[in-house]
């Protein structure tokens, strides 16, 4: 391990997935992109962290979509050697009664302002291991529950041991979601009282000490979304001298619930938006769940044309995105519009290359791209096709869609088929295109190149959502259900628009969406006075991007979670 990384104590940031760069497919969606943005901001802010994740050699999957809208999944193998260096250290963990050896790759993340940060990608694909064990770190979110448990042992327990083996001094552990909660068990083993100090029936582990070292960020607002493992599986696969009765007290009596374990192992717990923290507090009575609202990395998610614009008018914006708050008065309207048209034309070009479909840059484009899964309701816009067509006949628009469904999410895959069928039905009236292979690069082009970013989740299931924040960095206003970050981000008519009644409970139905489109959003777009539209674009930048960025988020983690 290069000395530059180990001479100072660091924060260890544990995450099952991470979007390091587009060529490295070790992420599935928002959680991984957030992890990447966290690491990127930590680098820019010179906060000393070390990321621990899995190498996921076969990636999540590469998506193709056939003529019937069916998703085809291919392995997306990548070569760690091309982007990272193997470390000499090897550590072992007992899994399923066998000794499983774990190696690591060092990826060095380079910040947009010169900083460098180490990322360890754990790998069991070593000659020492059986062919079954070599696959533990191959497939992100693949396999069954037992496979998942093995991955989480490698991440949590293997990760802590690897950090020690390569010489890191860790001053704090941050669990990004519950997948890495087993790290708490490894720390408990490290901080065990000597036998003579433990009274019968009491825990032999120094749990207060472990809790002082750990923070936990939860991302899942429903119980069903939390990983849990039956104790007979735990005993078979993980058991290596842990006191199971002590673990049951921390992780649940019936199953080992990774979220419970993480909650009990952490002094600082947070949700990823204010509303999500409230939902989580209700779900976990007795725990103090703080709110640190997510953000996105300024440089990564800003299109070239806007980077140049901000560099010119607001130098320093990349380090202090608060400066974007001055956009309202310091950047000419025409310059904003030119930067937007440049990003839009790039998207139009990209869409043509990928799909052969020609979009017009003179007409508004609505964008919707995210993981395809039921609660995100990508079909809400298409609930009443006649109404949608009627709106488009008077005020024409185009729609671009994208997103992957998890290979075992039948509903999600069905949604893709449905959206592709709608695209065919609407042809001639509304151009709708579904782009395959949603990834970081496509997300960047889409969030920058459309005119309005749509978001229609079923509340309260969108913990935060981050793609709308990427849009804001490019002056693209959101039209969204009031859930997740948008509860904080929406200033009606100023930063974008809410779907549903802003004063009451967000009903978020299709009619409210159609009404808002027809009566507010499209008339403003087609208004002869373009400056009124541009002022909403400016509102998105000055009031959303200046705040919903990962620099602000990391400054809060640093002062409120890590400094305990
Ligand atoms: C930003 C991003 C996401 C997360 O978007 P949400 O709005 O949170 O659904 C998912 N996938 C990719 C590739 C992204 O870039």
């Amino acid at each position: 391990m290069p000395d530059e990384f180990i001479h100072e104590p660091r924060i260890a940031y544990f995450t099952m997935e991470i979007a390091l760069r587009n060529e490295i497919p070790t992420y599935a969606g928002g959680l991984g992109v957030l992890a990447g943005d966290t690491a990127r901001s930590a680098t820019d802010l010179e906060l000393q962290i070390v990321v621990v994740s899995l190498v996921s050699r076969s990636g999540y999957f590469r998506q193709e979509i056939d003529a019937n809208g069916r998703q085809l999944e291919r392995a997306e193998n990548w070569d760690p050697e091309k982007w990272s260096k193997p470390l000499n250290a090897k550590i072992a963990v007992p899994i399923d009664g066998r000794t499983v050896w774990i190696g690591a790759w060092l990826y060095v993340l380079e910040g947009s302002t010169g900083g460098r940060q180490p990322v360890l990608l754990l790998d069991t694909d070593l000659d020492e291991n059986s062919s079954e064990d070599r696959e533990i770190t191959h497939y992100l979110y693949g396999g069954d529950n037992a496979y998942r448990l093995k991955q989480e042992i490698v991440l949590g327990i293997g990760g802590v041991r690897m950090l020690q083996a390569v010489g890191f001094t860790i001053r704090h552990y941050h669990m990004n979601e519950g997948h890495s909660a087993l790290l708490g068990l490894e720390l408990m083993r490290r901080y065990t009282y000597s036998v003579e100090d433990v009274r019968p029936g009491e825990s032999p582990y120094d749990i207060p000490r472990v809790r002082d070292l750990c923070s936990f960020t939860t991302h899942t607002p429903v119980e069903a979304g939390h990983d849990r493992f039956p104790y007979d599986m735990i005993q078979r696969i993980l058991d290596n001298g842990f006191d199971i009765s002590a673990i049951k007290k921390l992780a649940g009596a019936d199953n080992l619930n990774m979220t419970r374990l993480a909650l009990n192992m952490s002094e600082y717990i947070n949700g990823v938006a204010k509303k999500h923290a409230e939902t989580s507090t209700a779900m976990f009575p007795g725990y103090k769940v703080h709110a640190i609202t997510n953000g996105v990395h300024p440089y990564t998610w800003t299109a070239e044309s806007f980077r140049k614009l901000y560099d010119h008018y607001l130098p320093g914006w990349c380090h202090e995105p608060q400066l974007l708050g001055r956009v309202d008065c310091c950047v000419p309207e025409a310059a904003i519009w030119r930067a937007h048209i440049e990003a839009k034309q790039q998207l139009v070009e990209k869409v043509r290359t990928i799909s052969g479909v020609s979009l017009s840059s003179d007409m508004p484009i609505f964008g919707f791209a995210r993981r395809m899964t039921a609660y995100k309701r990508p079909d809400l816009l298409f609930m009443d096709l006649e109404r949608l067509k009627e709106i488009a006949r008077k005020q024409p628009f185009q729609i671009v869609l994208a997103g992957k469904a998890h290979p075992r999410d039948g509903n999600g895959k069905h949604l893709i088929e449905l959206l592709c069928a709608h695209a065919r039905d609407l042809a001639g009236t509304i151009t709708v295109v579904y782009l395959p292979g949603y990834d970081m690069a496509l997300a960047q082009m889409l969030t920058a190149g459309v005119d309005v970013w749509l978001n229609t989740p079923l509340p309260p299931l969108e913990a935060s959502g981050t793609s709308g924040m990427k849009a804001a960095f490019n002056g693209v206003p959101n039209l969204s259900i009031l859930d997740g970050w948008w509860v904080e981000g929406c200033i009606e008519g100023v930063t974008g628009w809410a779907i549903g009644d802003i004063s009451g409970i967000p009903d978020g139905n299709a009619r409210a969406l159609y009404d808002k489109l027809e009566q507010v959003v499209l008339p403003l777009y087609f208004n002869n006075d373009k400056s009124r539209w541009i002022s909403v674009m400016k509102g998105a930048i000055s009031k959303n991007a200046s705040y919903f960025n990962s620099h602000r988020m990391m400054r809060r983690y640093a002062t409120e979670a890590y400094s305990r």
Side-chain angles (χ1 to χ4, degrees):
M1 177 62 54
D3 200 47
E4 63 172 311
F5 296 135
I6 52 176
H7 71 274
E8 270 184 273
R10 284 179 181 258
I11 308 294
Y13 181 79
F14 278 68
T15 183
M16 186 70 132
E17 53 170 304
I18 183 162
L20 293 165
R21 57 187 302 139
N22 202 52
E23 296 87 342
I24 302 184
T26 52
Y27 65 97
L31 184 71
V33 171
L34 178 81
D37 284 354
T38 298
R40 282 181 275 275
S41 277
T43 310
D44 291 348
L45 300 178
E46 296 182 42
L47 191 65
Q48 308 286 305
I49 75 165
V50 49
V51 177
V52 180
S53 191
L54 302 184
V55 71
S56 301
R57 282 169 179 267
S58 302
Y60 182 46
F61 67 89
R62 193 158 57 79
Q63 180 195 49
E64 287 167 29
I65 294 173
D66 74 9
N68 298 314
R70 273 190 298 253
Q71 170 175 291
L72 308 174
E73 296 130 19
R74 315 235 179 271
E76 184 156 36
N77 297 315
W78 71 287
D79 183 7
E81 198 125 19
K82 191 165 167 209
W83 297 104
S84 56
K85 289 206 164 53
L87 294 176
N88 286 327
K90 266 182 213 155
I91 52 106
V93 292
I95 295 180
D96 225 351
R98 297 183 297 278
T99 296
V100 174
W101 287 91
I102 303 172
W105 297 86
L106 173 67
Y107 175 86
V108 178
L109 188 74
E110 290 181 353
S112 50
T113 47
R116 287 158 59 80
Q117 205 82 266
V119 177
L120 302 186
L121 300 171
L122 304 174
D123 191 0
T124 61
D125 195 347
L126 305 174
D127 292 337
E128 292 88 334
N129 292 331
S130 69
S131 58
E132 186 189 342
D133 294 337
R134 291 176 77 143
E135 288 199 357
I136 294 175
T137 53
H138 280 193
Y139 307 99
L140 179 62
Y141 304 133
D144 57 10
N145 211 27
Y147 182 76
R148 176 72 74 93
L149 175 58
K150 292 176 191 173
Q151 290 192 322
E152 296 188 358
I153 294 171
V154 170
L155 178 65
I157 296 177
V160 171
R161 292 186 187 177
M162 182 59 76
L163 287 171
Q164 187 171 34
V166 294
F168 283 102
T169 309
I170 302 304
R171 68 177 174 95
H172 201 84
Y173 295 83
H174 185 172
M175 296 172 242
N176 185 40
E177 193 45 298
H179 306 123
S180 55
L182 296 176
L183 75 83
L185 299 188
E186 183 61 15
L187 293 177
M188 272 162 51
R189 194 204 315 272
R190 190 178 285 174
Y191 303 116
T192 301
Y193 298 118
S194 48
V195 202
E196 55 268 27
D197 294 340
V198 183
R199 273 180 279 168
E202 282 196 350
S203 168
Y205 306 115
D206 187 352
I207 292 169
R209 172 127 187 227
V210 175
R211 285 173 56 103
D212 271 347
L213 282 171
C214 295
S215 293
F216 169 48
T217 302
T218 175
H219 295 261
T220 317
V222 275
E223 284 269 15
H226 302 150
D227 277 345
R228 61 192 79 217
F229 305 104
Y231 281 108
D232 56 356
M233 185 188 280
I234 294 289
Q235 248 149 350
R236 177 163 50 85
I237 297 179
L238 169 70
D239 183 36
N240 46 85
F242 279 116
D243 179 341
I244 290 279
S245 66
I247 296 178
K248 283 187 177 173
K249 284 196 192 111
L250 298 165
D254 309 325
N255 288 302
L256 189 153
N257 179 325
M258 295 293 278
T259 299
R260 289 267 155 210
L261 181 60
L263 287 170
N264 286 321
M265 298 269 78
S266 304
E267 191 63 35
Y268 185 88
I269 300 158
N270 75 288
V272 289
K274 289 190 171 71
K275 180 173 168 192
H276 175 235
E278 285 166 20
T279 311
S280 302
T281 303
M283 194 160 61
F284 314 123
Y287 297 89
K288 171 78 193 138
V289 183
H290 299 83
I292 296 185
T293 303
N294 280 165
V296 298
H297 185 251
Y299 186 81
T300 303
W301 298 107
T302 303
E304 187 63 34
S305 56
F306 277 94
R307 285 179 190 166
K308 282 200 196 121
L309 185 74
Y310 301 151
D311 280 346
H312 182 74
Y313 290 99
L314 306 163
W317 69 280
C318 245
H319 190 71
E320 285 186 293
Q322 299 96 307
L323 288 169
L324 297 175
R326 304 167 69 101
V327 151
D328 290 337
C329 36
C330 301
V331 183
E333 278 169 15
I336 299 261
W337 189 250
R338 266 199 309 275
H340 171 63
I341 290 300
E342 201 178 316
K344 187 168 178 178
Q345 278 163 349
Q346 279 177 357
L347 175 65
V348 168
E349 209 33 61
K350 183 81 181 170
V351 170
R352 204 196 322 273
T353 321
I354 300 180
S355 67
V357 174
S358 292
L359 298 175
S360 157
S361 42
D362 300 329
M363 251 198 274
I365 303 177
F366 296 147
F368 182 105
R370 30 185 65 80
R371 255 180 332 110
M372 284 293 148
T373 189
Y375 88 81
K376 302 242 188 198
R377 297 195 296 185
D379 52 336
L380 195 77
L381 180 62
F382 303 97
M383 284 295 166
D384 183 346
L385 295 183
E386 286 315 310
R387 174 94 198 265
L388 194 65
K389 284 190 207 169
E390 187 193 308
I391 298 171
R393 273 188 212 105
K394 298 193 188 107
Q395 308 179 89
F397 54 87
Q398 315 157 86
I399 302 170
V400 186
L401 307 163
K404 293 176 174 179
H406 186 281
R408 281 194 310 276
D409 183 353
N411 278 335
K413 290 188 191 183
H414 178 70
L415 282 167
I416 299 177
E417 285 179 55
L418 195 70
L419 296 182
C420 291
H422 291 327
R424 287 192 297 272
D425 291 347
L426 290 167
T429 317
I430 307 174
T431 304
V432 181
V433 53
Y434 197 107
L435 302 174
Y438 189 43
D439 61 7
M440 268 182 99
L442 196 51
Q444 193 280 316
M445 296 206 88
L446 281 166
T447 52
V450 300
D451 293 282
V452 176
W453 193 247
L454 271 175
N455 182 36
T456 52
L458 180 66
L461 299 181
E462 191 60 274
S464 165
T466 53
S467 58
M469 304 172 184
K470 301 168 192 166
F473 268 91
N474 298 286
V476 172
N478 280 262
L479 170 58
S480 169
I481 299 277
L482 285 169
D483 197 19
W485 81 283
W486 194 234
V487 176
E488 295 159 65
C490 179
I491 306 172
E492 184 67 16
V494 175
T495 59
W497 306 272
I499 301 167
D501 181 359
I502 193 152
S503 60
I505 307 155
D507 62 347
N509 55 27
R511 224 181 69 204
L513 170 56
Y514 294 138
D515 288 349
K516 195 57 80 73
L517 267 181
E518 182 176 46
Q519 290 151 27
V520 180
V521 179
L522 288 164
L524 191 72
Y525 186 90
F526 288 111
N527 193 295
N528 286 334
D529 182 2
K530 201 81 212 158
S531 70
R532 292 185 48 207
W533 181 265
I534 297 172
S535 85
V536 183
M537 297 178 69
K538 283 185 166 186
I541 300 166
S542 66
K543 288 163 189 69
N544 285 166
S546 66
Y547 181 84
F548 296 98
N549 58 76
S550 48
H551 283 14
R552 186 248 333 138
M553 177 186 83
M554 282 320 283
R555 289 185 172 109
R556 288 204 53 202
Y557 279 115
T559 52
E560 293 168 48
Y562 304 158
S563 63
R564 288 166 173 261

